[in-house]
Amino acid sequence: MQVTETLAEGLKHEFKVSVPASDIDAKVDARLVDMKDKVRLNGFRPGKVPVAHLKKVYGRSVAAETVEQLIRDTNAGIFTERGFRLATEPKVTMPTEEKEIEDILAGKSDLNYSVAIEVVPAIELADFKSFNVEKPVAEVTDADIDEALKRIADQSRPYEAKAEGAKAEKGDRVTVAFKGTIDGVAFDGGTGENIQVVIGSNTFIPGFEDQLIGIASGETRNVKASFPKNYAAPNLAGKDAEFETTASLIEAPQESKVDDEFAKNLGMESLDKLKEAMRERLVQEFSGASRQRVKRTLLDKLDETHKFGPPPSLVEEEFNLMWNSIKAEMESTGKTFADEDTTEEKAKEEYQKIADRRVRLGLVLSEIGEKNKITVTDDEVSRALIDRARQSPGREKEVWDFYRSNPNALAQLRAPIYEDKVVDFILELANVTEKKVTRDDLLKEEEDKTAA
C-alpha cells in the first residue's frame, strides 16, 4: 500500500492512496473462507462449499464490502499515524469508470483513490487557575417578594361594571362582538361574540384595542387594523381589515388585595406560606441568572485566551445556520437591515465573527472535556429527556419516542449538559469572587451578540 500526501495547506490535507489488487484479493479470499462454514447452498453439505464456488456466487458483493472496509481502515490509519483530529467527515474520491470499478472488484486492478480532510488545530489550553471570575449575586428582599405578588395579583384582578353611559378607558375591560372583513369580504376567524378585551393589554392585533377607548356600552364602531406581516395565518398576514364592533359591557379594574384569601385562591394555606414559596422561587431565579452571568464571563475569558484559526468548513456551516435563520425571520416580519441601522454586508461580517467565536469555543470546551475525561452519562441524558417530555403534557410518550429514535435530537440534549460540566470544572480551578448587586443589575438584559 502506498500513501502520498498531495496537499498540506493550513488545516486542509489530501492524500492519494494506492492499494495493490493482490491485497484486496487476499482479503476477499479470507472473508470467503470465513463464510465457508456459515453459508448453506443447495447441493453442498455444511462447510463443504468450495471457496472458488463461493467466489462465483458472492465474490462481487464480498469484494465491494471489503473495499469499503479497507478504505475506512486505511483512512483511520492515516489519520491516527499523523495525530489528526478530523473537523468533518473525510471526502473520498473513487474511480468513476464502470470498467475500472469492475476490474478493482474482480481483483484485476489496484485500488486508487484520494481522500481530502480538514483537521482540528492543536489547541494549547490556558491555565484556568489564573482566571479571575466575578460572580454577581443578589439577595431576595421583602420588596422583591411584594413586587412579584403584586404582578400576580394584577394579572388576576377583578373587574366591576362601570355606570351606565360610562366610556371605556385604558385598562378597562370591554366585552365586544365583532364582524371582520377584508376588502368588504368576511374571512374565517373574523367573527366573535362576547369577547373580552383589556385595553392596553396588546393581546389583539395592533391598533384594535386603542380604537375602543371612549366606546360606551351598546355603541358600535368600525375598527380598522392591520394583521402583522408575521401573523400565524398566511392568508391574513399583512392584510388591512375592518371590524364592525359593538360593546356590550364596560368594566373597570378593581384593586387586588394580597391577603390570606388571595393566597388560598392560589392553593396556599396562608399569605405567609405564599411568601415563603415566592422567596424560594426568586432565590432559584436569581441563582440561575447569576450562573448565566458567570458562564458568560467565563466564555469571554476562554475566547480571549484561545485565539486560533478554526476549521473554515465548521465556521461556514455555523454561519449558514445563523444567516438562514436571520433571513427567514426578516422575511416573516418584513424587517430590513436598514431597520436595524446596518447593511447586509455589515451584518454578514458581524455574524461571521460570531460563527468564528462559537466554533472556537466549542472546540476549546471539547478539548477541555476530552483531556480531563469529562463525560455525560446516559442517566443524565435520560433525566434531561424526562424534563423535556414533561414540558408537553399529554404528549410525553410522543416526545420520548422522538428523541429516542433521533440521535441528532438526543445529541442536542447532551450538548448543554456537557458544556455545563466543563464550565463547572473550570470554575473549580478559577478564582471566583462574589460581588453583591441589586436585583435589577442582576436581571437586566445585556445585548451580547458574541455570546456562545
Side-chain angles (χ1 to χ4, degrees):
M1 181 188 304
Q2 185 175 357
V3 177
T4 305
E5 187 167 19
T6 57
L7 174 70
E9 191 175 280
L11 301 177
K12 294 183 178 181
H13 298 264
E14 290 184 14
F15 300 89
K16 277 189 176 180
V17 182
S18 179
V19 182
S22 57
D23 288 2
I24 299 173
D25 204 39
K27 288 183 178 294
V28 170
D29 286 344
R31 293 192 67 177
L32 290 172
V33 169
D34 185 57
M35 289 173 59
K36 183 178 177 181
D37 295 330
K38 302 172 185 176
V39 173
R40 298 291 184 267
L41 290 178
N42 290 334
F44 295 94
R45 287 180 296 162
K48 298 299 182 181
V49 183
V51 172
H53 187 72
L54 285 176
K55 198 163 191 174
K56 287 181 182 179
V57 178
Y58 299 109
R60 193 182 187 285
S61 62
V62 170
E65 292 173 4
T66 300
V67 168
E68 287 180 9
Q69 187 63 49
L70 186 61
I71 291 173
R72 285 196 294 269
D73 292 345
T74 300
N75 289 348
I78 294 171
F79 310 147
T80 301
E81 183 182 326
R82 290 163 175 77
F84 289 155
R85 289 175 56 201
L86 301 191
T88 57
E89 287 295 314
K91 182 181 178 182
V92 176
T93 303
M94 295 281 291
T96 56
E97 292 292 331
E98 187 174 344
K99 184 179 184 308
E100 191 174 358
I101 295 171
E102 290 300 325
D103 284 347
I104 292 170
L105 296 179
K108 297 178 181 178
S109 295
D110 296 345
L111 168 63
N112 295 297
Y113 72 92
S114 64
V115 56
I117 59 171
E118 192 170 66
V119 300
V120 175
I123 302 173
E124 185 176 344
L125 297 177
D127 178 8
F128 305 128
K129 292 180 180 179
S130 68
F131 281 14
N132 293 314
V133 180
E134 190 175 78
K135 179 181 181 179
V137 294
E139 293 182 1
V140 176
T141 66
D142 291 342
D144 293 328
I145 295 171
D146 291 340
E147 183 181 339
L149 292 178
K150 184 179 183 304
R151 285 197 298 269
I152 296 174
D154 288 344
Q155 291 168 4
S156 57
R157 63 170 49 184
Y159 286 82
E160 187 175 291
K162 299 179 80 167
E164 186 176 348
K167 306 290 186 180
E169 301 175 79
K170 191 167 185 178
D172 286 351
R173 185 168 72 184
V174 184
T175 301
V176 299
F178 56 80
K179 295 178 181 178
T181 58
I182 294 177
D183 296 329
V185 180
F187 58 90
D188 289 342
T191 302
E193 295 284 344
N194 295 317
I195 305 299
Q196 293 181 329
V197 184
V198 177
I199 300 176
S201 64
N202 297 319
T203 53
F204 280 65
I205 61 175
F208 187 96
E209 295 171 15
D210 289 343
Q211 293 178 63
L212 296 181
I213 293 176
I215 198 170
S217 178
E219 181 182 342
T220 298
R221 287 185 177 181
N222 282 330
V223 175
K224 297 180 180 180
S226 299
F227 287 95
K229 291 184 178 180
N230 63 337
Y231 194 67
N235 60 313
L236 301 178
K239 299 287 183 65
D240 295 327
E242 188 169 330
F243 299 87
E244 184 183 276
T245 307
T246 301
S248 59
L249 180 64
I250 312 296
E251 298 173 292
Q254 303 301 301
E255 183 181 353
S256 292
K257 290 185 178 180
V258 179
D259 52 17
D260 285 339
E261 190 62 31
F262 172 74
K264 288 176 182 178
N265 288 336
L266 294 177
M268 304 299 292
E269 295 178 13
S270 64
L271 180 57
D272 287 341
K273 291 292 184 182
L274 177 59
K275 286 185 175 183
E276 286 177 18
M278 182 55 66
R279 181 179 294 277
E280 290 177 8
R281 198 188 84 178
L282 290 177
V283 166
Q284 290 180 348
E285 181 183 338
F286 288 11
S287 177
S290 180
R291 162 77 178 187
Q292 286 305 111
R293 293 281 293 275
V294 167
K295 183 175 177 180
R296 177 174 296 179
T297 299
L298 185 62
L299 291 176
D300 287 342
K301 290 275 188 184
L302 290 174
D303 178 36
E304 293 168 9
T305 53
H306 298 86
K307 297 295 187 184
F308 57 87
S313 61
L314 294 185
V315 176
E316 182 181 4
E317 182 181 342
E318 182 67 28
F319 170 79
N320 287 337
L321 284 172
M322 287 190 296
W323 190 250
N324 290 339
S325 176
I326 292 295
K327 295 287 284 186
E329 183 181 350
M330 294 184 75
E331 287 175 9
S332 68
T333 58
K335 287 186 177 181
T336 66
F337 290 105
D339 294 331
E340 301 295 326
D341 196 26
T342 187
T343 64
E344 183 170 352
E345 292 72 21
K346 287 182 179 178
K348 277 187 174 181
E349 188 177 322
E350 185 66 27
Y351 280 101
Q352 193 72 42
K353 292 177 183 176
I354 297 172
D356 181 277
R357 170 186 160 109
R358 286 185 175 180
V359 171
R360 276 190 298 105
L361 286 179
L363 292 174
V364 170
L365 292 171
S366 177
E367 182 80 4
I368 296 169
E370 186 174 325
K371 286 192 173 179
N372 294 282
K373 297 180 172 56
I374 298 171
T375 59
V376 176
T377 67
D378 290 340
D379 283 346
E380 288 170 327
V381 176
S382 293
R383 285 197 294 271
L385 179 49
I386 290 170
D387 289 341
R388 182 63 57 88
R390 284 174 176 165
Q391 294 172 17
S392 303
R395 298 177 53 231
E396 290 90 347
K397 187 177 185 305
E398 180 184 339
V399 173
W400 180 275
D401 291 343
F402 168 75
Y403 277 95
R404 281 300 179 189
S405 60
N406 191 327
N408 289 334
L410 208 57
Q412 290 176 0
L413 281 182
R414 184 182 295 268
I417 301 173
Y418 180 82
E419 181 176 292
D420 280 341
K421 292 182 80 168
V422 174
V423 167
D424 287 338
F425 171 80
I426 300 172
L427 289 175
E428 286 181 6
L429 298 174
N431 178 32
V432 181
T433 55
E434 291 189 353
K435 177 186 177 183
K436 288 191 175 182
V437 297
T438 64
R439 168 191 176 277
D440 290 341
D441 283 339
L442 179 64
L443 300 181
K444 70 180 178 182
E445 292 289 334
E446 290 188 357
E447 253 190 286
D448 187 359
K449 290 186 178 181
T450 61

